[in-house]
Amino acid sequence: MNKSISEMKNQICWASKEIYQRGLVNVGEGNISLRVKNQDEMVITPSGNNYLNPLPENMVHITFEGKVITEGKKPSTEYYLHRIFYEQRPRVNCVIHTHSTYASILAVQRKALPMIFEEMGVFLGGGVPCSEYARTGTEQLGKNALKAMGKQNAVILANHGLVIVGRSVKHCVFGAQLVEKMAKIYVTSISMGKVYEIPEEILSNLSDRFQVEFSTI
Ligand SMILES: [Zn+2]
């Protein structure tokens, strides 16, 4: 096996453990992928990923059309949700999709997460928009997600969960945790009364670092 594919499978195992241990996914839900450089290919978690014991040999190397290159594994049925970001955003090298609880609370409300901490501007490019609803596993789900994401690195999927894109797997893991923490703060504090957002003009001050280090546009 190509050494870089092998290394990518190890990275996906690491990310699987990270997001599972942090409570961002339950066994069998969500998925993680990495782009294969200079190819229309990705490595993705298998359908029903075992986060308790993720093994490199269970990760699946597929083409953007979903054709399996690694024999014997069934890729996640949500691969189109990943593919559209690799095709439309050349700087995206990793996509993580979770059903984390507080982001999913906003998802069923079909509400965006406003920018309530400055770090959202630095790492995510601002608040997290919410897409229009589409069924799981459809091409429309990916199209709606891409359209709603705008220039940011994260989008809430209506009645479904969250997608984070990034230049690296580490940034995506960090982003998935950050969105969930921010969503928890937002959902909890809105029950206490008005929630104040970071003023829009502050975002332009934060966007320099975002553009240089984290933007995927
Ligand atoms: Zn899902």
PDB file of all heavy atoms in Angstrom, residues 183-214:
ATOM      1  N   ALA A 183     -21.904  25.772  20.769  1.00  0.00           N
ATOM      2  CA  ALA A 183     -23.338  25.462  20.673  1.00  0.00           C
ATOM      3  C   ALA A 183     -23.914  25.202  22.058  1.00  0.00           C
ATOM      4  O   ALA A 183     -25.033  25.624  22.370  1.00  0.00           O
ATOM      5  CB  ALA A 183     -23.546  24.252  19.766  1.00  0.00           C
ATOM      6  N   LYS A 184     -23.130  24.528  22.907  1.00  0.00           N
ATOM      7  CA  LYS A 184     -23.592  24.256  24.280  1.00  0.00           C
ATOM      8  C   LYS A 184     -23.776  25.553  25.052  1.00  0.00           C
ATOM      9  O   LYS A 184     -24.780  25.757  25.745  1.00  0.00           O
ATOM     10  CB  LYS A 184     -22.583  23.343  24.998  1.00  0.00           C
ATOM     11  CG  LYS A 184     -23.034  22.902  26.374  1.00  0.00           C
ATOM     12  CD  LYS A 184     -22.051  21.897  26.955  1.00  0.00           C
ATOM     13  CE  LYS A 184     -22.562  21.393  28.306  1.00  0.00           C
ATOM     14  NZ  LYS A 184     -21.646  20.399  28.888  1.00  0.00           N
ATOM     15  N   ILE A 185     -22.811  26.451  24.925  1.00  0.00           N
ATOM     16  CA  ILE A 185     -22.898  27.749  25.607  1.00  0.00           C
ATOM     17  C   ILE A 185     -24.108  28.532  25.079  1.00  0.00           C
ATOM     18  O   ILE A 185     -24.893  29.089  25.847  1.00  0.00           O
ATOM     19  CB  ILE A 185     -21.594  28.549  25.403  1.00  0.00           C
ATOM     20  CG1 ILE A 185     -20.453  27.886  26.172  1.00  0.00           C
ATOM     21  CG2 ILE A 185     -21.763  30.012  25.820  1.00  0.00           C
ATOM     22  CD1 ILE A 185     -19.066  28.429  25.834  1.00  0.00           C
ATOM     23  N   TYR A 186     -24.286  28.522  23.775  1.00  0.00           N
ATOM     24  CA  TYR A 186     -25.369  29.303  23.164  1.00  0.00           C
ATOM     25  C   TYR A 186     -26.742  28.749  23.565  1.00  0.00           C
ATOM     26  O   TYR A 186     -27.615  29.495  24.006  1.00  0.00           O
ATOM     27  CB  TYR A 186     -25.203  29.292  21.640  1.00  0.00           C
ATOM     28  CG  TYR A 186     -26.265  30.071  20.912  1.00  0.00           C
ATOM     29  CD1 TYR A 186     -26.343  31.457  21.042  1.00  0.00           C
ATOM     30  CD2 TYR A 186     -27.202  29.433  20.096  1.00  0.00           C
ATOM     31  CE1 TYR A 186     -27.326  32.188  20.377  1.00  0.00           C
ATOM     32  CE2 TYR A 186     -28.171  30.154  19.430  1.00  0.00           C
ATOM     33  CZ  TYR A 186     -28.233  31.527  19.577  1.00  0.00           C
ATOM     34  OH  TYR A 186     -29.199  32.243  18.923  1.00  0.00           O
ATOM     35  N   VAL A 187     -26.918  27.438  23.407  1.00  0.00           N
ATOM     36  CA  VAL A 187     -28.225  26.820  23.697  1.00  0.00           C
ATOM     37  C   VAL A 187     -28.564  26.996  25.174  1.00  0.00           C
ATOM     38  O   VAL A 187     -29.710  27.290  25.539  1.00  0.00           O
ATOM     39  CB  VAL A 187     -28.198  25.320  23.304  1.00  0.00           C
ATOM     40  CG1 VAL A 187     -29.396  24.583  23.883  1.00  0.00           C
ATOM     41  CG2 VAL A 187     -28.141  25.176  21.788  1.00  0.00           C
ATOM     42  N   THR A 188     -27.565  26.859  26.048  1.00  0.00           N
ATOM     43  CA  THR A 188     -27.814  26.996  27.482  1.00  0.00           C
ATOM     44  C   THR A 188     -28.103  28.447  27.844  1.00  0.00           C
ATOM     45  O   THR A 188     -29.055  28.737  28.579  1.00  0.00           O
ATOM     46  CB  THR A 188     -26.587  26.493  28.284  1.00  0.00           C
ATOM     47  OG1 THR A 188     -26.264  25.184  27.836  1.00  0.00           O
ATOM     48  CG2 THR A 188     -26.883  26.458  29.771  1.00  0.00           C
ATOM     49  N   SER A 189     -27.330  29.371  27.307  1.00  0.00           N
ATOM     50  CA  SER A 189     -27.511  30.766  27.730  1.00  0.00           C
ATOM     51  C   SER A 189     -28.748  31.414  27.145  1.00  0.00           C
ATOM     52  O   SER A 189     -29.325  32.304  27.765  1.00  0.00           O
ATOM     53  CB  SER A 189     -26.281  31.625  27.461  1.00  0.00           C
ATOM     54  OG  SER A 189     -25.584  31.205  26.402  1.00  0.00           O
ATOM     55  N   ILE A 190     -29.213  30.930  25.984  1.00  0.00           N
ATOM     56  CA  ILE A 190     -30.395  31.565  25.390  1.00  0.00           C
ATOM     57  C   ILE A 190     -31.630  31.284  26.255  1.00  0.00           C
ATOM     58  O   ILE A 190     -32.586  32.072  26.267  1.00  0.00           O
ATOM     59  CB  ILE A 190     -30.583  31.132  23.914  1.00  0.00           C
ATOM     60  CG1 ILE A 190     -31.317  32.214  23.145  1.00  0.00           C
ATOM     61  CG2 ILE A 190     -31.265  29.786  23.783  1.00  0.00           C
ATOM     62  CD1 ILE A 190     -31.187  32.108  21.655  1.00  0.00           C
ATOM     63  N   SER A 191     -31.577  30.205  27.033  1.00  0.00           N
ATOM     64  CA  SER A 191     -32.707  29.907  27.927  1.00  0.00           C
ATOM     65  C   SER A 191     -32.741  30.878  29.113  1.00  0.00           C
ATOM     66  O   SER A 191     -33.730  30.986  29.824  1.00  0.00           O
ATOM     67  CB  SER A 191     -32.615  28.471  28.435  1.00  0.00           C
ATOM     68  OG  SER A 191     -31.497  28.352  29.287  1.00  0.00           O
ATOM     69  N   MET A 192     -31.629  31.598  29.336  1.00  0.00           N
ATOM     70  CA  MET A 192     -31.543  32.548  30.447  1.00  0.00           C
ATOM     71  C   MET A 192     -31.895  33.968  30.016  1.00  0.00           C
ATOM     72  O   MET A 192     -32.019  34.862  30.847  1.00  0.00           O
ATOM     73  CB  MET A 192     -30.114  32.537  31.019  1.00  0.00           C
ATOM     74  CG  MET A 192     -29.711  31.185  31.585  1.00  0.00           C
ATOM     75  SD  MET A 192     -27.924  31.077  31.839  1.00  0.00           S
ATOM     76  CE  MET A 192     -27.710  32.230  33.191  1.00  0.00           C
ATOM     77  N   GLY A 193     -31.999  34.180  28.704  1.00  0.00           N
ATOM     78  CA  GLY A 193     -32.321  35.529  28.229  1.00  0.00           C
ATOM     79  C   GLY A 193     -31.525  35.868  26.986  1.00  0.00           C
ATOM     80  O   GLY A 193     -31.047  34.983  26.276  1.00  0.00           O
ATOM     81  N   LYS A 194     -31.357  37.151  26.748  1.00  0.00           N
ATOM     82  CA  LYS A 194     -30.683  37.612  25.527  1.00  0.00           C
ATOM     83  C   LYS A 194     -29.222  37.140  25.488  1.00  0.00           C
ATOM     84  O   LYS A 194     -28.522  37.193  26.498  1.00  0.00           O
ATOM     85  CB  LYS A 194     -30.725  39.145  25.478  1.00  0.00           C
ATOM     86  CG  LYS A 194     -30.071  39.739  24.247  1.00  0.00           C
ATOM     87  CD  LYS A 194     -30.291  41.248  24.194  1.00  0.00           C
ATOM     88  CE  LYS A 194     -29.428  41.922  23.133  1.00  0.00           C
ATOM     89  NZ  LYS A 194     -29.649  41.406  21.773  1.00  0.00           N
ATOM     90  N   VAL A 195     -28.821  36.717  24.302  1.00  0.00           N
ATOM     91  CA  VAL A 195     -27.412  36.351  24.080  1.00  0.00           C
ATOM     92  C   VAL A 195     -26.785  37.432  23.200  1.00  0.00           C
ATOM     93  O   VAL A 195     -27.331  37.771  22.143  1.00  0.00           O
ATOM     94  CB  VAL A 195     -27.300  34.969  23.398  1.00  0.00           C
ATOM     95  CG1 VAL A 195     -25.863  34.692  22.984  1.00  0.00           C
ATOM     96  CG2 VAL A 195     -27.802  33.872  24.332  1.00  0.00           C
ATOM     97  N   TYR A 196     -25.670  37.961  23.636  1.00  0.00           N
ATOM     98  CA  TYR A 196     -24.991  39.027  22.883  1.00  0.00           C
ATOM     99  C   TYR A 196     -23.972  38.410  21.939  1.00  0.00           C
ATOM    100  O   TYR A 196     -23.173  37.561  22.334  1.00  0.00           O
ATOM    101  CB  TYR A 196     -24.303  40.002  23.844  1.00  0.00           C
ATOM    102  CG  TYR A 196     -25.301  40.775  24.669  1.00  0.00           C
ATOM    103  CD1 TYR A 196     -25.759  40.266  25.878  1.00  0.00           C
ATOM    104  CD2 TYR A 196     -25.806  42.002  24.225  1.00  0.00           C
ATOM    105  CE1 TYR A 196     -26.705  40.947  26.633  1.00  0.00           C
ATOM    106  CE2 TYR A 196     -26.752  42.696  24.977  1.00  0.00           C
ATOM    107  CZ  TYR A 196     -27.191  42.162  26.171  1.00  0.00           C
ATOM    108  OH  TYR A 196     -28.130  42.835  26.913  1.00  0.00           O
ATOM    109  N   GLU A 197     -24.003  38.838  20.702  1.00  0.00           N
ATOM    110  CA  GLU A 197     -23.059  38.336  19.702  1.00  0.00           C
ATOM    111  C   GLU A 197     -21.853  39.259  19.615  1.00  0.00           C
ATOM    112  O   GLU A 197     -21.931  40.433  19.980  1.00  0.00           O
ATOM    113  CB  GLU A 197     -23.736  38.262  18.323  1.00  0.00           C
ATOM    114  CG  GLU A 197     -24.930  37.319  18.321  1.00  0.00           C
ATOM    115  CD  GLU A 197     -25.665  37.329  16.987  1.00  0.00           C
ATOM    116  OE1 GLU A 197     -25.058  37.689  15.959  1.00  0.00           O
ATOM    117  OE2 GLU A 197     -26.859  36.965  16.985  1.00  0.00           O
ATOM    118  N   ILE A 198     -20.736  38.720  19.109  1.00  0.00           N
ATOM    119  CA  ILE A 198     -19.562  39.555  18.841  1.00  0.00           C
ATOM    120  C   ILE A 198     -19.934  40.502  17.686  1.00  0.00           C
ATOM    121  O   ILE A 198     -20.457  40.045  16.666  1.00  0.00           O
ATOM    122  CB  ILE A 198     -18.356  38.686  18.407  1.00  0.00           C
ATOM    123  CG1 ILE A 198     -18.013  37.636  19.475  1.00  0.00           C
ATOM    124  CG2 ILE A 198     -17.152  39.552  18.061  1.00  0.00           C
ATOM    125  CD1 ILE A 198     -17.373  38.154  20.721  1.00  0.00           C
ATOM    126  N   PRO A 199     -19.700  41.801  17.837  1.00  0.00           N
ATOM    127  CA  PRO A 199     -20.083  42.735  16.765  1.00  0.00           C
ATOM    128  C   PRO A 199     -19.420  42.383  15.428  1.00  0.00           C
ATOM    129  O   PRO A 199     -18.279  41.916  15.387  1.00  0.00           O
ATOM    130  CB  PRO A 199     -19.569  44.092  17.274  1.00  0.00           C
ATOM    131  CG  PRO A 199     -19.410  43.925  18.738  1.00  0.00           C
ATOM    132  CD  PRO A 199     -19.084  42.472  18.976  1.00  0.00           C
ATOM    133  N   GLU A 200     -20.163  42.605  14.369  1.00  0.00           N
ATOM    134  CA  GLU A 200     -19.722  42.243  13.012  1.00  0.00           C
ATOM    135  C   GLU A 200     -18.371  42.866  12.665  1.00  0.00           C
ATOM    136  O   GLU A 200     -17.525  42.230  12.019  1.00  0.00           O
ATOM    137  CB  GLU A 200     -20.789  42.702  12.002  1.00  0.00           C
ATOM    138  CG  GLU A 200     -20.597  42.208  10.594  1.00  0.00           C
ATOM    139  CD  GLU A 200     -20.712  40.690  10.457  1.00  0.00           C
ATOM    140  OE1 GLU A 200     -21.462  40.064  11.232  1.00  0.00           O
ATOM    141  OE2 GLU A 200     -20.021  40.150   9.582  1.00  0.00           O
ATOM    142  N   GLU A 201     -18.142  44.109  13.105  1.00  0.00           N
ATOM    143  CA  GLU A 201     -16.891  44.779  12.734  1.00  0.00           C
ATOM    144  C   GLU A 201     -15.658  44.103  13.356  1.00  0.00           C
ATOM    145  O   GLU A 201     -14.543  44.234  12.833  1.00  0.00           O
ATOM    146  CB  GLU A 201     -16.910  46.273  13.092  1.00  0.00           C
ATOM    147  CG  GLU A 201     -17.094  46.587  14.568  1.00  0.00           C
ATOM    148  CD  GLU A 201     -18.552  46.792  14.950  1.00  0.00           C
ATOM    149  OE1 GLU A 201     -19.423  46.230  14.270  1.00  0.00           O
ATOM    150  OE2 GLU A 201     -18.807  47.506  15.939  1.00  0.00           O
ATOM    151  N   ILE A 202     -15.860  43.394  14.451  1.00  0.00           N
ATOM    152  CA  ILE A 202     -14.741  42.668  15.080  1.00  0.00           C
ATOM    153  C   ILE A 202     -14.280  41.526  14.179  1.00  0.00           C
ATOM    154  O   ILE A 202     -13.094  41.187  14.127  1.00  0.00           O
ATOM    155  CB  ILE A 202     -15.142  42.119  16.473  1.00  0.00           C
ATOM    156  CG1 ILE A 202     -15.586  43.243  17.391  1.00  0.00           C
ATOM    157  CG2 ILE A 202     -13.996  41.326  17.105  1.00  0.00           C
ATOM    158  CD1 ILE A 202     -14.513  44.264  17.732  1.00  0.00           C
ATOM    159  N   LEU A 203     -15.230  40.921  13.454  1.00  0.00           N
ATOM    160  CA  LEU A 203     -14.889  39.782  12.594  1.00  0.00           C
ATOM    161  C   LEU A 203     -13.813  40.162  11.575  1.00  0.00           C
ATOM    162  O   LEU A 203     -12.909  39.382  11.295  1.00  0.00           O
ATOM    163  CB  LEU A 203     -16.142  39.251  11.883  1.00  0.00           C
ATOM    164  CG  LEU A 203     -15.934  38.069  10.945  1.00  0.00           C
ATOM    165  CD1 LEU A 203     -15.336  36.872  11.689  1.00  0.00           C
ATOM    166  CD2 LEU A 203     -17.254  37.659  10.293  1.00  0.00           C
ATOM    167  N   SER A 204     -13.911  41.383  11.049  1.00  0.00           N
ATOM    168  CA  SER A 204     -12.905  41.775  10.049  1.00  0.00           C
ATOM    169  C   SER A 204     -11.507  41.852  10.658  1.00  0.00           C
ATOM    170  O   SER A 204     -10.501  41.597   9.990  1.00  0.00           O
ATOM    171  CB  SER A 204     -13.293  43.108   9.393  1.00  0.00           C
ATOM    172  OG  SER A 204     -13.432  44.089  10.383  1.00  0.00           O
ATOM    173  N   ASN A 205     -11.429  42.155  11.970  1.00  0.00           N
ATOM    174  CA  ASN A 205     -10.118  42.168  12.640  1.00  0.00           C
ATOM    175  C   ASN A 205      -9.572  40.751  12.850  1.00  0.00           C
ATOM    176  O   ASN A 205      -8.365  40.553  12.947  1.00  0.00           O
ATOM    177  CB  ASN A 205     -10.213  42.852  14.012  1.00  0.00           C
ATOM    178  CG  ASN A 205     -10.591  44.309  13.899  1.00  0.00           C
ATOM    179  OD1 ASN A 205     -10.266  44.958  12.909  1.00  0.00           O
ATOM    180  ND2 ASN A 205     -11.307  44.819  14.880  1.00  0.00           N
ATOM    181  N   LEU A 206     -10.498  39.792  12.960  1.00  0.00           N
ATOM    182  CA  LEU A 206     -10.088  38.413  13.219  1.00  0.00           C
ATOM    183  C   LEU A 206      -9.801  37.660  11.935  1.00  0.00           C
ATOM    184  O   LEU A 206      -9.150  36.620  11.938  1.00  0.00           O
ATOM    185  CB  LEU A 206     -11.206  37.669  13.973  1.00  0.00           C
ATOM    186  CG  LEU A 206     -11.642  38.276  15.303  1.00  0.00           C
ATOM    187  CD1 LEU A 206     -12.892  37.565  15.811  1.00  0.00           C
ATOM    188  CD2 LEU A 206     -10.533  38.182  16.335  1.00  0.00           C
ATOM    189  N   SER A 207     -10.301  38.190  10.817  1.00  0.00           N
ATOM    190  CA  SER A 207     -10.278  37.408   9.580  1.00  0.00           C
ATOM    191  C   SER A 207      -8.884  37.276   8.981  1.00  0.00           C
ATOM    192  O   SER A 207      -8.631  36.361   8.215  1.00  0.00           O
ATOM    193  CB  SER A 207     -11.246  37.985   8.556  1.00  0.00           C
ATOM    194  OG  SER A 207     -10.813  39.253   8.163  1.00  0.00           O
ATOM    195  N   ASP A 208      -7.935  38.162   9.351  1.00  0.00           N
ATOM    196  CA  ASP A 208      -6.575  38.049   8.800  1.00  0.00           C
ATOM    197  C   ASP A 208      -5.961  36.694   9.150  1.00  0.00           C
ATOM    198  O   ASP A 208      -5.462  35.993   8.282  1.00  0.00           O
ATOM    199  CB  ASP A 208      -5.669  39.166   9.336  1.00  0.00           C
ATOM    200  CG  ASP A 208      -5.958  40.492   8.659  1.00  0.00           C
ATOM    201  OD1 ASP A 208      -6.780  40.473   7.717  1.00  0.00           O
ATOM    202  OD2 ASP A 208      -5.391  41.512   9.080  1.00  0.00           O
ATOM    203  N   ARG A 209      -6.034  36.344  10.433  1.00  0.00           N
ATOM    204  CA  ARG A 209      -5.444  35.060  10.844  1.00  0.00           C
ATOM    205  C   ARG A 209      -6.224  33.902  10.222  1.00  0.00           C
ATOM    206  O   ARG A 209      -5.640  32.897   9.795  1.00  0.00           O
ATOM    207  CB  ARG A 209      -5.430  34.944  12.377  1.00  0.00           C
ATOM    208  CG  ARG A 209      -4.655  33.716  12.798  1.00  0.00           C
ATOM    209  CD  ARG A 209      -4.404  33.588  14.279  1.00  0.00           C
ATOM    210  NE  ARG A 209      -3.929  32.243  14.559  1.00  0.00           N
ATOM    211  CZ  ARG A 209      -4.088  31.607  15.694  1.00  0.00           C
ATOM    212  NH1 ARG A 209      -4.665  32.224  16.718  1.00  0.00           N
ATOM    213  NH2 ARG A 209      -3.657  30.380  15.863  1.00  0.00           N
ATOM    214  N   PHE A 210      -7.550  34.048  10.171  1.00  0.00           N
ATOM    215  CA  PHE A 210      -8.371  33.002   9.546  1.00  0.00           C
ATOM    216  C   PHE A 210      -7.948  32.798   8.093  1.00  0.00           C
ATOM    217  O   PHE A 210      -7.734  31.652   7.654  1.00  0.00           O
ATOM    218  CB  PHE A 210      -9.858  33.369   9.626  1.00  0.00           C
ATOM    219  CG  PHE A 210     -10.744  32.419   8.876  1.00  0.00           C
ATOM    220  CD1 PHE A 210     -10.970  31.134   9.368  1.00  0.00           C
ATOM    221  CD2 PHE A 210     -11.360  32.786   7.690  1.00  0.00           C
ATOM    222  CE1 PHE A 210     -11.780  30.232   8.671  1.00  0.00           C
ATOM    223  CE2 PHE A 210     -12.157  31.897   6.989  1.00  0.00           C
ATOM    224  CZ  PHE A 210     -12.378  30.618   7.488  1.00  0.00           C
ATOM    225  N   GLN A 211      -7.788  33.901   7.363  1.00  0.00           N
ATOM    226  CA  GLN A 211      -7.435  33.789   5.934  1.00  0.00           C
ATOM    227  C   GLN A 211      -6.081  33.114   5.749  1.00  0.00           C
ATOM    228  O   GLN A 211      -5.906  32.260   4.881  1.00  0.00           O
ATOM    229  CB  GLN A 211      -7.384  35.185   5.292  1.00  0.00           C
ATOM    230  CG  GLN A 211      -8.743  35.857   5.178  1.00  0.00           C
ATOM    231  CD  GLN A 211      -9.730  35.104   4.324  1.00  0.00           C
ATOM    232  OE1 GLN A 211      -9.348  34.297   3.482  1.00  0.00           O
ATOM    233  NE2 GLN A 211     -11.011  35.319   4.563  1.00  0.00           N
ATOM    234  N   VAL A 212      -5.118  33.495   6.579  1.00  0.00           N
ATOM    235  CA  VAL A 212      -3.754  32.979   6.412  1.00  0.00           C
ATOM    236  C   VAL A 212      -3.655  31.505   6.844  1.00  0.00           C
ATOM    237  O   VAL A 212      -3.056  30.694   6.145  1.00  0.00           O
ATOM    238  CB  VAL A 212      -2.745  33.830   7.220  1.00  0.00           C
ATOM    239  CG1 VAL A 212      -1.369  33.179   7.255  1.00  0.00           C
ATOM    240  CG2 VAL A 212      -2.676  35.235   6.643  1.00  0.00           C
ATOM    241  N   GLU A 213      -4.268  31.177   7.984  1.00  0.00           N
ATOM    242  CA  GLU A 213      -4.010  29.852   8.554  1.00  0.00           C
ATOM    243  C   GLU A 213      -5.115  28.825   8.329  1.00  0.00           C
ATOM    244  O   GLU A 213      -4.830  27.621   8.269  1.00  0.00           O
ATOM    245  CB  GLU A 213      -3.803  29.984  10.071  1.00  0.00           C
ATOM    246  CG  GLU A 213      -2.515  30.684  10.438  1.00  0.00           C
ATOM    247  CD  GLU A 213      -2.278  30.629  11.944  1.00  0.00           C
ATOM    248  OE1 GLU A 213      -2.423  29.555  12.542  1.00  0.00           O
ATOM    249  OE2 GLU A 213      -1.971  31.692  12.516  1.00  0.00           O
ATOM    250  N   PHE A 214      -6.370  29.278   8.221  1.00  0.00           N
ATOM    251  CA  PHE A 214      -7.453  28.280   8.307  1.00  0.00           C
ATOM    252  C   PHE A 214      -8.473  28.306   7.177  1.00  0.00           C
ATOM    253  O   PHE A 214      -9.200  27.322   6.994  1.00  0.00           O
ATOM    254  CB  PHE A 214      -8.192  28.447   9.645  1.00  0.00           C
ATOM    255  CG  PHE A 214      -7.292  28.307  10.840  1.00  0.00           C
ATOM    256  CD1 PHE A 214      -6.979  29.403  11.627  1.00  0.00           C
ATOM    257  CD2 PHE A 214      -6.718  27.080  11.140  1.00  0.00           C
ATOM    258  CE1 PHE A 214      -6.138  29.282  12.720  1.00  0.00           C
ATOM    259  CE2 PHE A 214      -5.860  26.953  12.224  1.00  0.00           C
ATOM    260  CZ  PHE A 214      -5.571  28.046  13.020  1.00  0.00           C
TER     261      PHE A 214
END
